[in-house]
Amino acid sequence: MRRIERLAGFTATPGKGSTRTTYTPEFRQALDFLSRECRALGLDPVVDGIGNLRCRLPGRDNAAPGVMTGSHIDTVIHGGDYDGVVGSVAALEVLAVLQENRFVPAVPVEIVIFAEEEGVTFDLSLAGSKALVGRMTLADMKVRTSNTDGRSLYQTARDFGLDPDGLPQSVLRPAEVSAMIELHIEQSIALEHDLLQIGVIEKIAGSFNYVVEVFGTANHAGATPMRLRRDALVGAALMIQEIEALARAEGRDEAVATVGRLAVAPNAANVIPNHVSFTFDLRDTDPDRMAERLAETLAALDRIAQVRRLDVTARRTGTNAPIALSGILADLVEDCAKARGYSYKRMHSGALHDTAVLAELAPSCMIFVPSRDGRSHAPEEFTDPEEIRRGVQLVVDTIVKLTG
Ligand code: HGY
Ligand code: MN
Ligand code: MN
């Protein structure tokens, strides 16, 4: 809890939640704090070329593939103090507990704290873990630009003091990792609603992320008859309604769509808008339904643009396939929960997580702890310390079973 409170203090919006986007001064404070915490454990933290922090507890056989555990410390804007932080500080606590108990694991146990998981600045979630496994290359980092100042991810990382050119040498190979474990808050209401203490995650939703631009004609708000208008904002509004309607029509909680960011130009009260850009984030745990709904969504944008005599472009900024996690590790976590007498259920994650990226490399599992009122990505985000302790205990138990 001390570490969680310290990290909560590294925010650009004190009193209004955690705002700690990658490569900001707040992110630097958090990274330095966690590096100091690793060194206090007598370990040597390394920060890679995109800003992932890695720190290894040696095992008996250090040539063998190790177990990784961790999460992310970048946040959304006005986010909560627990998203990513719980799994990150849990990783530190796990290594501290193993050392306190003179437990030498058979293979290395490695903390990994990912950068740019949220994708707030570069419209690409899970960027740190994708760079770690080589799914995002230097070339990708050079063309991926910030939505705040237009600089490339590559340049921003260099200006932050990192060495992205060194990334190809630090790409994680399958032979180096035998399992990934991430503790995370649920960020929804299922556990609290069912009065359960632990979620054992079986699959993680995928997503298609787009930036849509709608082009119309700027004109006088008073003098232009309605029949002569090409109003980009009204067109965008119709599109946004349809994006939402298609998600609701699926009738499943796993099928969602969100328009989270929107900009209007020229954004003046007496000018008919001629340009609107907005994002949409379409998710599902069923890859076929997710692809079909994307096609329906893009067709709807074109149809509305045509009826409204507007132009529209839709640029994909991210793709994350839905992924099933390791059934063997899920069983192991379930056994540990039973042994501790924790109430639990197996469930899916509607939120994306870096573990989905590591799951392509090695057997991976996630453990959820409840979010009060199901709130997340908001200052109201909260998880009780006792619930966090149970989650950390399960990470310890799972790692001890895997490396004992
Ligand atoms: O968007 C997500 O699901 C995660 O919080 N990055
Ligand atoms: Mn998260
Ligand atoms: Mn998040």
Side-chain angles (χ1 to χ4, degrees), residues 72 76 83 117-118 184 187 377:
H72 62 94
V76 295
D83 176 1
E117 186 274 348
E118 297 288 1
H184 204 286
Q187 301 182 292
H377 279 192

Side-chain angles (χ1 to χ4, degrees), residues 9 62 113 150 152 171 202 268 327 357 403:
N62 290 308
I113 311 290
S152 71
V171 167
E202 296 184 304
V357 176
T403 65

Side-chain angles (χ1 to χ4, degrees), residues 72 74-76 83-84 117-118 120 184-185 187 283 351-353 376-377 381:
H72 62 94
D74 65 305
T75 70
V76 295
D83 176 1
E117 186 274 348
E118 297 288 1
V120 166
H184 204 286
I185 55 172
Q187 301 182 292
R283 302 193 192 187
L352 303 180
H353 296 288
S376 180
H377 279 192
E381 187 179 273

Side-chain angles (χ1 to χ4, degrees), residues 74-266:
D74 65 305
T75 70
V76 295
I77 299 165
H78 295 299
D81 296 345
Y82 298 83
D83 176 1
V85 166
V86 163
S88 299
V89 302
L92 273 159
E93 187 61 17
V94 165
L95 265 52
V97 164
L98 296 183
Q99 287 183 326
E100 283 159 22
N101 289 274
R102 310 240 180 293
F103 176 88
V104 179
V107 298
V109 175
E110 182 169 357
I111 294 175
V112 58
I113 311 290
F114 297 105
E116 193 58 354
E117 186 274 348
E118 297 288 1
V120 166
T121 310
F122 295 94
D123 286 331
L124 174 70
S125 46
L126 315 181
S129 48
K130 287 174 183 169
L132 178 68
V133 303
R135 262 182 57 186
M136 183 167 62
T137 63
L138 277 184
D140 297 330
M141 288 180 70
K142 288 177 179 173
V143 297
R144 173 70 53 171
T145 54
S146 156
N147 57 43
T148 51
D149 63 15
R151 283 188 306 158
S152 71
L153 174 49
Y154 173 82
Q155 194 52 51
T156 309
R158 281 178 59 87
D159 294 351
F160 186 70
L162 301 173
D163 171 28
D165 292 302
L167 266 173
Q169 286 71 42
S170 64
V171 167
L172 191 68
R173 308 266 174 246
E176 295 172 86
V177 55
S178 59
M180 168 74 194
I181 303 170
E182 180 173 4
L183 174 63
H184 204 286
I185 55 172
E186 180 199 346
Q187 301 182 292
S188 188
I189 197 72
L191 291 177
E192 183 176 81
H193 178 268
D194 298 350
L195 302 177
L196 296 172
Q197 295 167 332
I198 293 290
V200 181
I201 307 310
E202 296 184 304
K203 57 184 170 179
I204 298 176
S207 76
F208 286 121
N209 297 80
Y210 275 76
V211 172
V212 177
E213 295 197 73
V214 185
F215 302 88
T217 302
N219 216 330
H220 194 290
T224 310
M226 296 312 282
R227 60 188 166 81
L228 298 182
R229 295 184 176 207
R230 296 179 69 239
D231 186 327
L233 184 51
V234 172
L238 292 168
M239 292 174 189
I240 292 166
Q241 264 184 322
E242 188 60 17
I243 289 168
E244 199 228 18
L246 286 168
R248 284 186 183 278
E250 292 283 329
R252 289 178 296 116
D253 285 352
E254 296 89 340
V256 294
T258 312
V259 174
R261 194 175 77 228
L262 180 140
V264 189

